[in-house]
Amino acid sequence: QQEIERLMHALQRWNSSSDSNDPTVAPTSLAETVELAISGIERHVLEKESVVKELSSQLDSQRSSLQAKSTLLVQETSQLRAAVREEQAKKAAMEARLQDVERDSKMQVESAHREVSILQS
């Protein structure tokens, strides 16, 4: 930014000088100012490019890390869902077994009551 301001100032000085109407006359200080400005701008651009490359590299790294974490979370979620289904199946089997045991117990109690009735009569 400073280089651009210096260049603009030098151009204004040159425009206000008597030689400004002659395109073949360019003051040495103007040429030097232009070169310095260009050099400064190039340096500034290189610095910004370096920062952009670094940030881009960091983003790529973070993206890769997040993709790996996402993949792990998807796998864990799938495993947890499978475990839940397995536990639900076990629960259903245990409930069915419990009903079978209750039915058998009830039938045994009824049978025992009939036998007691028969024996009492």
Side-chain angles (χ1 to χ4, degrees), residues 43-114:
R43 185 173 51 255
H44 182 73
V45 167
L46 288 174
E47 289 171 0
K48 294 301 178 185
E49 285 176 346
S50 175
V51 169
V52 167
K53 285 179 184 177
E54 177 62 29
L55 291 174
S56 178
S57 175
Q58 290 175 5
L59 283 174
D60 288 343
S61 176
Q62 289 176 352
R63 184 181 301 115
S64 295
S65 176
L66 287 174
Q67 285 174 336
K69 288 177 183 178
S70 176
T71 300
L72 285 175
L73 286 173
V74 167
Q75 290 172 347
E76 288 177 10
T77 300
S78 178
Q79 291 171 350
L80 288 171
R81 286 181 177 154
V84 166
R85 284 191 300 271
E86 184 179 334
E87 290 301 317
Q88 288 172 337
K90 285 180 184 179
K91 179 183 174 187
M94 289 174 62
E95 287 174 351
R97 177 68 182 133
L98 178 61
Q99 288 176 354
D100 289 345
V101 168
E102 287 174 344
R103 188 179 59 248
D104 290 346
S105 295
K106 185 178 178 182
M107 288 173 43
Q108 288 176 356
V109 168
E110 289 173 356
S111 176
H113 280 286
R114 280 192 302 272

